[in-house]
Structure formats: C-alpha cells, structure tokens
Amino acid sequence: MSAILEIDHVTRRFAGLIAVNDVSFTLNEGEILGVIGPNGAGKTTLVSLISGTLAPSSGDIRFQGHSITALPAFRRARLGIGRTFQIMRPFPGLSVLDNVAVGALFGHGKGTSDLEEARKKARRHLEFVGLDRFADQRADELGGPGRKRLELAKALAMEPKLLLCDEVMAGLNHVEIDEVIDVIRKVRDSGITILVIEHVIKAIKSLSDRLLVIHHGEKIADGEPDAVLSDKTVVEAYLGKRRA
Amino acid sequence: MDLLAQVLINGILLGGLYAIMALGLALVWGVLNIVNLAHGAFIMLGAYLAWHLYHYLGIDPFLGLPITAIVMFGVGYAVQRGILNLIVRAPMFNTLLITFGIEVVLTYLAQLAFSADFRTINPSYAGSNIAVGPVVIPTVRLAAFGVAIALTVAMWLFLLRTKLGRAIRATAQNLVAARLYGVEPRHLYAMTFGIGIGLAGVAGGLYGTVSQINPYIGATLTAKCFAIAIIGGLDNPLGVIVGGLVLGIIESLAILYIGATFGDVASFGVLVLVLIVRPSGLLGRTA
Amino acid sequence: MSIWTRIAIAVVIVAILAALPWFGSDVVVQFGISTLILAVLAQGWNIIGGYTGYASFGNSTFFGLGAYGVAIAMVQWHLPFWVGMVFGAAMAVAFAILLGLPVLRLKGHYFAIATLALAQVVAAIVSNIPLFGQNIGLVLPPLNNDAMFYELALALLVAATLTVAWLTRSRFGFGLIAIRENEEGAAVMGVNTTLYKVMAFALSGLFSALAGGIQAYWITFLDPASAFDISLNVKMIIMAVFGGPGTIFGPVVGAFVLSAISEVLSSEITSVAGLFFGIVVVAAVVLMPRGLADIIRHFRTSGWRYFIQNVKAHRI
C-alpha cells in the first residue's frame, strides 16, 4: 500500500485560536479513514486544509508524493481531490443534474468540455446515489437527506482519486445512514480513497479501515477502529472524565 | 508652511462635515444591509429644507437643525415603512436599484420644486473668521464642524447606552435579536432608517451653510459617503469621524499639491486602495 | 418550443430589425441606434453581473475607454474608425484584467462600490490628460450615415447575444454560473475562479467598449462627463435586471422596453419623464424583482398573485 495523502505537522491558527494543532497522518491508497472528534475539534478545518479552501499556518500537505500546500483549491480539485461540505452548499439556482454536471465539466484532470457528455455522466452519478428522480428539480428544493446525497454526487462526478466526506451522515435516519454507508463502500470498491469525517460513531466504526481521533485540534489516537474506541484518552474526550 | 497648515485646517473642518454626512449611510448599511444610493439626495433635501426655513421663516440655519432633523426623520421612517421594508430580504442588486430609483425621484422632485439654480444659506455671520496666527478659520465652518462631531459622538452614546440603541446594534447581527429587546422589527428598521435620514437632513443643513446647493449634488455626496463609511468601517459610529477626516484632508492636500480637479481622484483612489487592502475598513474588524 | 423554432423566430426578428432603416423615419432610426447601444451595454453587463453574479458599476468605464479609443485614433492620430474600435477594446480589456485581478477579490456591495469608485478615478484622470482632450473633449469628424451606425450596433448586439447564448451551453459559462451560485463550492470542484471572473469581466468590458466606440463616432463629440457617466451604468443594470439577469434575451428585452417607455414619457410629459423613470424602477423592483423573464415563466401559473407573492417573499 502506498500513501496517497500525507499530512505533515500541519497547524492552522485563527485569531487567538488553534483549530488544528501539529497534526500528522498518512492516508493509504484504497483506504477508508474515519476521522472523529467532538464538535469544534477541528475536523472540518482539516478537510478545508486538504481541499485548499484554507491555507495551513505551518506544515506540509503532500498528495501522491507532491506537496500541494501552496496550490489553490481548484488545482487540488484537478489533481483529484474532491470534497463534500458539511453545511450543504449546492448551486441553489441550478438543477440537481447541472449541479453534478459542474463536477464532470471541471473536476479531476480537466473534466470534459462537452456539456451533453457532462450531463450524461452526471445522470449516472445521480443514479448511483439514488437521486435520479430529482434530476430536473432546482437544487434548493431538495430536502436535507437529498442534499447530502447531492454533495456526494457532485464530488463523485469530479472522478476524484481522494474523496473527503464531511459529515455526510449527520441528520440522517438509520435507513438513510445504511444506504449512505453502502454508497461509500461502493465508491471505495471503484478505487477511490476516502476520508470520512463523522459524528455518528457507530456508523463510522463499521465503515472505516482505520480511525483517527481529533480533540481540541490535536490528534489523540490513530489505529484500528476497535482499539481506538476502547482507548482511555478517546473515551475521556468523547464521554467526559466521569464515565471513563 | 502656513499654506500647509491652512490646508490641513480646511481638510479637518471639511472632514467633520463629511463624518456626519456618512454617519447615516453607515448606520443604515450596517444594520439594514442596504447601501442607500439615495443618501446624498436626502442630504440635498435636508439642505433645501434648511434653506427654506432660513429664507422664508428667518430661522437661523443652526437653530433650524432640530426641525430639519425631525422632518427628515419622519420622511425616512415613512420611506422605510412604506417602500424599503417590502424588499429588505431581496438580493443586493434590488436594494441598490430601488434606492437608485428613489434617488432619481427625489432629484427630479427637487428640480421641479426648487428649480436647478444654485442656492446658498447666508446668515449675517457667514463671512466672519477667527484668525489663529497665520491660519484663518471661517466661523461657519468651525460651527458646522463642532455640531457634526458633537452629533456623531451623541449618536455613538445613543447606540451604546439606550435600549433602542442597543436593539439597533443587536439587529445588525441578527433580526431576531430585535424581538428580544421587545421591539417590532419593522418598526425598528424604520426607526433606524429614519435616524439615518434625520442625520442626512442635519448634514444637509450644515452643508448648505458652507457650500452651494442644487438638486444634483446628491450623487457625488453619496459616493463620498461610501468612501468614508468604507474607510471608517461599519462597526463603530466613531469610525466615520476618522473616515471623514482622512477624506477631507486627502482631498484638500490633493487639490493643493496636484490640482483642483484631483480632489475626487484622491478620495476615490484611497477608497479603492482601502477596499483592496482591508475590505472591512481601516478600523473595522478583520474577517 | 423546439430550439429550431426559437432560432427561426430570432432570425426573423433580427431580419426585421435589420430592415428598419429602409422603412423607418430618421427619428425611429436614431431611437433604434441609442436603444441598440443600450441593449449591448445591458447584455455586456449581463455577463459579469447576471451570469457571474458580480454587480459591476465599472462597465461605464469600459464604455468610456471604448469611446475614447475611437475618438483618440480618429482625432489625434487620424486613423480609421475600425482601428479606433480595436484600440478602445484593447484599452478596456487591459483595464479589466489589470484592475479586475484585485477588485474581483471583493464580494457583494464592496465589489460594487470599488468599481464605482474606480469609474470616478478614471473619469477624473482622463479629464487631466491632453491626449484625451482634457475637460474640453474631442470633436470627431462627422459621418452622416445613421443607417450604417444602426446596422453596426445591431450586429454588435447580435454578437453579444450569441456570446451569451454560447455561455449557457459552454464549460466556461457553467463555471461562471457556478461562481455566481457558490464561489467556494465552484473552486473545490475545479473551477479556476480568479481566471474565470477576470475573463468574464474582460468579455463584458469588450462589448461595452465596442458600444462606446460606435456611440462616440455617431454622436461625434466626447468629453469625460458623457463618456464616464455613472448613470449610464445604472441604466444598464436596470435594463438587465428589469428584463431578467442571467438569461439570454432578458437584458435585450429590458433595454427595448425601458427605452420605449422613457422615449414615450419624454415626448408626452417632457418635464417629469425622469421622475416617472424613477417610479418605474422602484415599482419594478418591488413587484417583479426577478425581471420580465421570471414573470413570463410564472405568470401563467400564479396570475396576478405573482406580484403579491414577490412582495411577500422579500418584505419583513
């Protein structure tokens, strides 16, 4: 297994606050890495640092062996890094289909420049996440669960090598979570490496090959899901000292 | 050196007037998120009101300011309640367009009612000066400066200390907050706009004492108010004092050292630079 | 309507418009020229404002630079008109690229105001440069051929509209729309947002500049006040928004309708025409905030309630 993503002592400070503090880890090709941590632990910041919407204050990020720390977000997207947003931000005025078509038009490599081909691809991705019935609706008419799936379809249409999923299961019911887990597994089977940020521990445990725990911006555990979840510091961070 | 001192004094006096001109625009922008393109036209209306009070009723321009303020407050309250509240949640283009439409209407109404002739408010003391060493300070400009600064500080205290002021400030962050203060949002918005226009009225009254007025002065004044609000930031009413002074001094210096036609270049050039370097204003919070 | 029916209708309308100088009176042709120029400006603004979502108040600057390009080439350098058009367009595009880079980083009101301020700066600088005729202005050699100006303006409008139509079907246009709808979302999907915004600004500037060039040669006089008139910029925004920003024909229809209204008003009630224009703008923003195009789309289903729904959606 070779490393596709290397996070090397990355720190991000905001005015008076350290959101991500000296975090290092590697993500291997074909792996599903789960990242968990309490609210405000710095998980979303981490995704933004990898996707390039935020720049690290220090440290280096390497993708397929090359440093991408200085690259703007769109260049990283073209290298093959796709992400979903926790706060779902579709292109509200565009149809669901065209939202996904943007991913196919741009995305990894340079995308296609043929609109019809992009829409054809987009339709396939909508089918894949189970949204094809809503293809012609405006994106802002979708409900919460629909938007979560749309975020996934948009990112998948970019045909990424690495997919960053920021809380794609939050707010979904059990049935919907199982469906999304299924989709993510299928994505991995198609050869895409995945980093999943999640709040729902049960879901992420069954999904991930490896778990990473972040607390107050620092990495406090990294390893096999079962081992990590029984780790004393992790239990304390998550459940509070009393129950530990 | 004497010339430079004189120019600086002129710039500072002008800056005080600029501050109160921009105060209402900054308040409305910060709280209602409406950039009021008609702000300068309301200043123009205030100036005409003061002119009429002086010429037909013989009311001293400075003593007439409270009347101007109250009348213009009423106009502002009505405009917000009757028109602008209808589009408060519309996209930015639309708020810009509607206030531009109001600007056009006000300018034409003024032209019909007052003709396009230049007017000045000339009280008996208009020509008097105070000499401080080599520097000459025109009394009227000094008085206008004093009133402007005093009102800006009073406005700051109002926003900081009174219940209504706090409600207005809270609303700048979020509309629901207004209800927490027991104020109905529609009323609060109209009060805020009314206060903004009342301040524009006072600014107009003061402007009329130091400069000529005609129905078309509004657009340029609006543009300058923007510049001041941006330089000073929207977070603090005292910011407009800094913004006003910066603009007043830069304009005066540019006119002296580069040429009379460069006053506006300098002020708008500074605006663009500030926007690019620090979009939240010189004094504003960093994003 | 199939795409071919629409194309057929568009071709017929353009043919009728193109034939106008042969049967219309001089007054009608002159009204036509000024309306077509305004329509080009509205369509040009549509690229940066309607499709990319950046409310530019700097397009009147492009117009002015285009006008001065023609005036300087013809008056100062005694070059032919078309060289002036190229020169003016080049100045506008260069301006869009150089100033677009910093200014397009600003969002919302801040971008609007920065472009507004830039327009003032350019106007003031130009009025101090001898080559530009300073405050006095430049007088161009008169060409008494309104039919030519009319056809030129019509051709430019057709070119601008075809460009916008191409946008709606191209990768570039999709990138612009993605930027308008959600700029950060566009960037993480691989859209080079900076490059696209600057290109949209430059394209928008190109059409505005060419319109300015035609206007200058037609009017045969140019000074800073008329070349860099801010209210012209507001007019193009109003026309685009009135017709429907971000649509292919909205800005053109908006320009035609509003020009016709203001023409009728100024001939019927000369003194208060401007007043009515202002009132029309206020009423339009309140009652139909998404333009004529949106009315056509929704009026059939909601009828008169459409207007009430609009007011209800945006008031507090």
Side-chain angles (χ1 to χ4, degrees), chain C residues 110-140:
Chain C
Y110 292 98
F111 174 78
I113 291 155
T115 49
L116 188 74
L118 270 180
Q120 308 258 17
V121 174
V122 173
I125 291 175
V126 161
S127 58
N128 285 288
I129 299 178
L131 180 68
F132 286 71
Q134 286 169 313
N135 267 327
I136 308 132
L138 297 168
V139 180
L140 287 87

mmCIF file of all heavy atoms in Angstrom, chain C residues 110-140:
data_model
loop_
_atom_site.group_PDB
_atom_site.id
_atom_site.type_symbol
_atom_site.label_atom_id
_atom_site.label_comp_id
_atom_site.label_asym_id
_atom_site.label_seq_id
_atom_site.Cartn_x
_atom_site.Cartn_y
_atom_site.Cartn_z
ATOM 1 N N TYR C 110 -19.097 45.482 -1.670
ATOM 2 C CA TYR C 110 -17.755 46.013 -1.729
ATOM 3 C C TYR C 110 -17.239 46.033 -3.165
ATOM 4 O O TYR C 110 -16.583 46.973 -3.585
ATOM 5 C CB TYR C 110 -16.827 45.207 -0.826
ATOM 6 C CG TYR C 110 -17.158 45.403 0.628
ATOM 7 C CD1 TYR C 110 -17.927 44.491 1.326
ATOM 8 C CD2 TYR C 110 -16.733 46.554 1.292
ATOM 9 C CE1 TYR C 110 -18.256 44.691 2.656
ATOM 10 C CE2 TYR C 110 -17.051 46.769 2.619
ATOM 11 C CZ TYR C 110 -17.808 45.832 3.294
ATOM 12 O OH TYR C 110 -18.135 46.051 4.600
ATOM 13 N N PHE C 111 -17.542 44.983 -3.916
ATOM 14 C CA PHE C 111 -17.147 44.972 -5.320
ATOM 15 C C PHE C 111 -17.875 46.090 -6.068
ATOM 16 O O PHE C 111 -17.271 46.847 -6.836
ATOM 17 C CB PHE C 111 -17.478 43.616 -5.959
ATOM 18 C CG PHE C 111 -17.235 43.587 -7.440
ATOM 19 C CD1 PHE C 111 -15.956 43.453 -7.938
ATOM 20 C CD2 PHE C 111 -18.285 43.731 -8.330
ATOM 21 C CE1 PHE C 111 -15.727 43.444 -9.303
ATOM 22 C CE2 PHE C 111 -18.062 43.723 -9.691
ATOM 23 C CZ PHE C 111 -16.778 43.579 -10.179
ATOM 24 N N ALA C 112 -19.179 46.199 -5.808
ATOM 25 C CA ALA C 112 -19.978 47.227 -6.482
ATOM 26 C C ALA C 112 -19.370 48.608 -6.250
ATOM 27 O O ALA C 112 -19.179 49.388 -7.186
ATOM 28 C CB ALA C 112 -21.419 47.177 -5.991
ATOM 29 N N ILE C 113 -19.019 48.872 -5.006
ATOM 30 C CA ILE C 113 -18.539 50.210 -4.673
ATOM 31 C C ILE C 113 -17.122 50.443 -5.184
ATOM 32 O O ILE C 113 -16.794 51.531 -5.651
ATOM 33 C CB ILE C 113 -18.636 50.431 -3.162
ATOM 34 C CG1 ILE C 113 -20.120 50.508 -2.809
ATOM 35 C CG2 ILE C 113 -17.907 51.680 -2.732
ATOM 36 C CD1 ILE C 113 -20.411 50.127 -1.411
ATOM 37 N N ALA C 114 -16.290 49.403 -5.134
ATOM 38 C CA ALA C 114 -14.934 49.564 -5.654
ATOM 39 C C ALA C 114 -14.975 49.904 -7.141
ATOM 40 O O ALA C 114 -14.243 50.775 -7.613
ATOM 41 C CB ALA C 114 -14.114 48.299 -5.423
ATOM 42 N N THR C 115 -15.855 49.231 -7.895
ATOM 43 C CA THR C 115 -15.912 49.523 -9.328
ATOM 44 C C THR C 115 -16.481 50.926 -9.557
ATOM 45 O O THR C 115 -16.048 51.639 -10.450
ATOM 46 C CB THR C 115 -16.780 48.496 -10.071
ATOM 47 O OG1 THR C 115 -18.025 48.342 -9.406
ATOM 48 C CG2 THR C 115 -16.088 47.157 -10.147
ATOM 49 N N LEU C 116 -17.425 51.317 -8.710
ATOM 50 C CA LEU C 116 -17.996 52.663 -8.797
ATOM 51 C C LEU C 116 -16.903 53.714 -8.579
ATOM 52 O O LEU C 116 -16.777 54.686 -9.337
ATOM 53 C CB LEU C 116 -19.089 52.818 -7.739
ATOM 54 C CG LEU C 116 -19.933 54.064 -7.767
ATOM 55 C CD1 LEU C 116 -20.906 53.993 -8.928
ATOM 56 C CD2 LEU C 116 -20.714 54.218 -6.473
ATOM 57 N N ALA C 117 -16.083 53.477 -7.563
ATOM 58 C CA ALA C 117 -15.016 54.422 -7.251
ATOM 59 C C ALA C 117 -13.981 54.452 -8.371
ATOM 60 O O ALA C 117 -13.517 55.520 -8.770
ATOM 61 C CB ALA C 117 -14.356 54.044 -5.926
ATOM 62 N N LEU C 118 -13.645 53.263 -8.901
ATOM 63 C CA LEU C 118 -12.680 53.203 -9.996
ATOM 64 C C LEU C 118 -13.167 54.016 -11.187
ATOM 65 O O LEU C 118 -12.390 54.715 -11.843
ATOM 66 C CB LEU C 118 -12.480 51.763 -10.440
ATOM 67 C CG LEU C 118 -11.376 50.985 -9.747
ATOM 68 C CD1 LEU C 118 -11.307 49.584 -10.310
ATOM 69 C CD2 LEU C 118 -10.051 51.703 -9.957
ATOM 70 N N ALA C 119 -14.470 53.911 -11.450
ATOM 71 C CA ALA C 119 -15.036 54.656 -12.572
ATOM 72 C C ALA C 119 -14.803 56.156 -12.374
ATOM 73 O O ALA C 119 -14.437 56.870 -13.314
ATOM 74 C CB ALA C 119 -16.527 54.360 -12.694
ATOM 75 N N GLN C 120 -14.985 56.620 -11.142
ATOM 76 C CA GLN C 120 -14.768 58.045 -10.860
ATOM 77 C C GLN C 120 -13.300 58.420 -11.038
ATOM 78 O O GLN C 120 -12.978 59.481 -11.567
ATOM 79 C CB GLN C 120 -15.171 58.350 -9.411
ATOM 80 C CG GLN C 120 -16.548 57.878 -9.046
ATOM 81 C CD GLN C 120 -17.541 59.007 -9.031
ATOM 82 O OE1 GLN C 120 -17.270 60.063 -9.589
ATOM 83 N NE2 GLN C 120 -18.678 58.787 -8.407
ATOM 84 N N VAL C 121 -12.416 57.527 -10.575
ATOM 85 C CA VAL C 121 -10.984 57.806 -10.680
ATOM 86 C C VAL C 121 -10.583 57.926 -12.148
ATOM 87 O O VAL C 121 -9.902 58.868 -12.545
ATOM 88 C CB VAL C 121 -10.158 56.696 -9.990
ATOM 89 C CG1 VAL C 121 -8.674 56.899 -10.235
ATOM 90 C CG2 VAL C 121 -10.438 56.674 -8.503
ATOM 91 N N VAL C 122 -11.043 56.976 -12.958
ATOM 92 C CA VAL C 122 -10.677 57.002 -14.379
ATOM 93 C C VAL C 122 -11.193 58.277 -15.037
ATOM 94 O O VAL C 122 -10.466 58.943 -15.779
ATOM 95 C CB VAL C 122 -11.217 55.757 -15.108
ATOM 96 C CG1 VAL C 122 -10.979 55.868 -16.600
ATOM 97 C CG2 VAL C 122 -10.568 54.502 -14.560
ATOM 98 N N ALA C 123 -12.456 58.630 -14.715
ATOM 99 C CA ALA C 123 -13.024 59.845 -15.306
ATOM 100 C C ALA C 123 -12.180 61.062 -14.948
ATOM 101 O O ALA C 123 -11.875 61.903 -15.801
ATOM 102 C CB ALA C 123 -14.458 60.029 -14.832
ATOM 103 N N ALA C 124 -11.776 61.128 -13.679
ATOM 104 C CA ALA C 124 -11.011 62.293 -13.240
ATOM 105 C C ALA C 124 -9.618 62.305 -13.859
ATOM 106 O O ALA C 124 -9.114 63.360 -14.237
ATOM 107 C CB ALA C 124 -10.919 62.300 -11.715
ATOM 108 N N ILE C 125 -9.004 61.132 -13.979
ATOM 109 C CA ILE C 125 -7.666 61.068 -14.582
ATOM 110 C C ILE C 125 -7.730 61.474 -16.060
ATOM 111 O O ILE C 125 -6.947 62.302 -16.530
ATOM 112 C CB ILE C 125 -7.063 59.647 -14.450
ATOM 113 C CG1 ILE C 125 -6.743 59.367 -12.976
ATOM 114 C CG2 ILE C 125 -5.796 59.515 -15.295
ATOM 115 C CD1 ILE C 125 -6.258 57.964 -12.708
ATOM 116 N N VAL C 126 -8.701 60.918 -16.766
ATOM 117 C CA VAL C 126 -8.852 61.212 -18.195
ATOM 118 C C VAL C 126 -9.033 62.709 -18.428
ATOM 119 O O VAL C 126 -8.470 63.274 -19.356
ATOM 120 C CB VAL C 126 -10.035 60.407 -18.771
ATOM 121 C CG1 VAL C 126 -10.511 61.019 -20.073
ATOM 122 C CG2 VAL C 126 -9.626 58.969 -18.988
ATOM 123 N N SER C 127 -9.791 63.347 -17.533
ATOM 124 C CA SER C 127 -10.061 64.769 -17.770
ATOM 125 C C SER C 127 -8.817 65.619 -17.534
ATOM 126 O O SER C 127 -8.864 66.835 -17.682
ATOM 127 C CB SER C 127 -11.226 65.251 -16.906
ATOM 128 O OG SER C 127 -10.937 65.024 -15.555
ATOM 129 N N ASN C 128 -7.706 64.989 -17.153
ATOM 130 C CA ASN C 128 -6.469 65.736 -16.975
ATOM 131 C C ASN C 128 -5.398 65.372 -18.004
ATOM 132 O O ASN C 128 -4.285 65.863 -17.933
ATOM 133 C CB ASN C 128 -5.914 65.499 -15.571
ATOM 134 C CG ASN C 128 -6.710 66.261 -14.534
ATOM 135 O OD1 ASN C 128 -6.627 67.483 -14.440
ATOM 136 N ND2 ASN C 128 -7.522 65.545 -13.783
ATOM 137 N N ILE C 129 -5.721 64.477 -18.929
ATOM 138 C CA ILE C 129 -4.713 64.039 -19.905
ATOM 139 C C ILE C 129 -4.959 64.737 -21.251
ATOM 140 O O ILE C 129 -6.062 64.656 -21.800
ATOM 141 C CB ILE C 129 -4.773 62.511 -20.107
ATOM 142 C CG1 ILE C 129 -4.470 61.801 -18.780
ATOM 143 C CG2 ILE C 129 -3.780 62.065 -21.179
ATOM 144 C CD1 ILE C 129 -4.567 60.297 -18.880
ATOM 145 N N PRO C 130 -3.945 65.431 -21.771
ATOM 146 C CA PRO C 130 -4.120 66.158 -23.032
ATOM 147 C C PRO C 130 -4.563 65.260 -24.197
ATOM 148 O O PRO C 130 -5.402 65.651 -24.999
ATOM 149 C CB PRO C 130 -2.722 66.734 -23.295
ATOM 150 C CG PRO C 130 -2.082 66.795 -21.950
ATOM 151 C CD PRO C 130 -2.637 65.649 -21.161
ATOM 152 N N LEU C 131 -3.977 64.035 -24.267
ATOM 153 C CA LEU C 131 -4.327 63.125 -25.364
ATOM 154 C C LEU C 131 -5.834 62.893 -25.414
ATOM 155 O O LEU C 131 -6.420 62.730 -26.482
ATOM 156 C CB LEU C 131 -3.586 61.797 -25.182
ATOM 157 C CG LEU C 131 -3.848 60.724 -26.243
ATOM 158 C CD1 LEU C 131 -3.264 61.149 -27.587
ATOM 159 C CD2 LEU C 131 -3.279 59.378 -25.822
ATOM 160 N N PHE C 132 -6.464 62.868 -24.241
ATOM 161 C CA PHE C 132 -7.901 62.616 -24.151
ATOM 162 C C PHE C 132 -8.713 63.924 -24.283
ATOM 163 O O PHE C 132 -9.908 63.919 -24.049
ATOM 164 C CB PHE C 132 -8.253 61.941 -22.826
ATOM 165 C CG PHE C 132 -7.848 60.487 -22.759
ATOM 166 C CD1 PHE C 132 -6.510 60.123 -22.677
ATOM 167 C CD2 PHE C 132 -8.801 59.486 -22.773
ATOM 168 C CE1 PHE C 132 -6.134 58.789 -22.608
ATOM 169 C CE2 PHE C 132 -8.424 58.144 -22.698
ATOM 170 C CZ PHE C 132 -7.092 57.806 -22.616
ATOM 171 N N GLY C 133 -8.030 65.022 -24.620
ATOM 172 C CA GLY C 133 -8.743 66.273 -24.794
ATOM 173 C C GLY C 133 -9.142 66.931 -23.492
ATOM 174 O O GLY C 133 -9.929 67.877 -23.485
ATOM 175 N N GLN C 134 -8.620 66.464 -22.389
ATOM 176 C CA GLN C 134 -8.910 67.009 -21.058
ATOM 177 C C GLN C 134 -10.404 67.219 -20.848
ATOM 178 O O GLN C 134 -11.219 66.402 -21.272
ATOM 179 C CB GLN C 134 -8.101 68.282 -20.812
ATOM 180 C CG GLN C 134 -6.642 67.936 -20.560
ATOM 181 C CD GLN C 134 -5.749 69.124 -20.579
ATOM 182 O OE1 GLN C 134 -5.850 69.941 -21.479
ATOM 183 N NE2 GLN C 134 -4.864 69.222 -19.614
ATOM 184 N N ASN C 135 -10.748 68.334 -20.178
ATOM 185 C CA ASN C 135 -12.160 68.577 -19.882
ATOM 186 C C ASN C 135 -12.954 69.048 -21.089
ATOM 187 O O ASN C 135 -14.170 68.977 -21.124
ATOM 188 C CB ASN C 135 -12.290 69.621 -18.767
ATOM 189 C CG ASN C 135 -12.371 68.945 -17.422
ATOM 190 O OD1 ASN C 135 -12.921 67.838 -17.332
ATOM 191 N ND2 ASN C 135 -11.841 69.581 -16.409
ATOM 192 N N ILE C 136 -12.227 69.560 -22.100
ATOM 193 C CA ILE C 136 -12.912 70.186 -23.235
ATOM 194 C C ILE C 136 -13.556 69.137 -24.125
ATOM 195 O O ILE C 136 -14.613 69.350 -24.700
ATOM 196 C CB ILE C 136 -11.914 71.037 -24.068
ATOM 197 C CG1 ILE C 136 -11.189 71.993 -23.125
ATOM 198 C CG2 ILE C 136 -12.590 71.783 -25.188
ATOM 199 C CD1 ILE C 136 -9.707 72.023 -23.284
ATOM 200 N N GLY C 137 -12.903 67.982 -24.206
ATOM 201 C CA GLY C 137 -13.460 66.918 -25.037
ATOM 202 C C GLY C 137 -12.862 66.900 -26.429
ATOM 203 O O GLY C 137 -11.994 67.710 -26.774
ATOM 204 N N LEU C 138 -13.302 65.936 -27.221
ATOM 205 C CA LEU C 138 -12.802 65.772 -28.584
ATOM 206 C C LEU C 138 -13.979 65.820 -29.554
ATOM 207 O O LEU C 138 -15.045 65.284 -29.269
ATOM 208 C CB LEU C 138 -12.084 64.424 -28.724
ATOM 209 C CG LEU C 138 -10.829 64.212 -27.876
ATOM 210 C CD1 LEU C 138 -10.400 62.749 -27.909
ATOM 211 C CD2 LEU C 138 -9.705 65.119 -28.349
ATOM 212 N N VAL C 139 -13.765 66.461 -30.694
ATOM 213 C CA VAL C 139 -14.815 66.504 -31.721
ATOM 214 C C VAL C 139 -14.396 65.598 -32.876
ATOM 215 O O VAL C 139 -13.346 65.796 -33.478
ATOM 216 C CB VAL C 139 -15.037 67.938 -32.224
ATOM 217 C CG1 VAL C 139 -16.126 67.957 -33.289
ATOM 218 C CG2 VAL C 139 -15.417 68.847 -31.067
ATOM 219 N N LEU C 140 -15.216 64.605 -33.165
ATOM 220 C CA LEU C 140 -14.875 63.644 -34.208
ATOM 221 C C LEU C 140 -15.379 64.120 -35.561
ATOM 222 O O LEU C 140 -16.342 64.899 -35.633
ATOM 223 C CB LEU C 140 -15.482 62.274 -33.890
ATOM 224 C CG LEU C 140 -14.821 61.500 -32.756
ATOM 225 C CD1 LEU C 140 -15.421 61.874 -31.418
ATOM 226 C CD2 LEU C 140 -14.937 60.009 -32.997
#
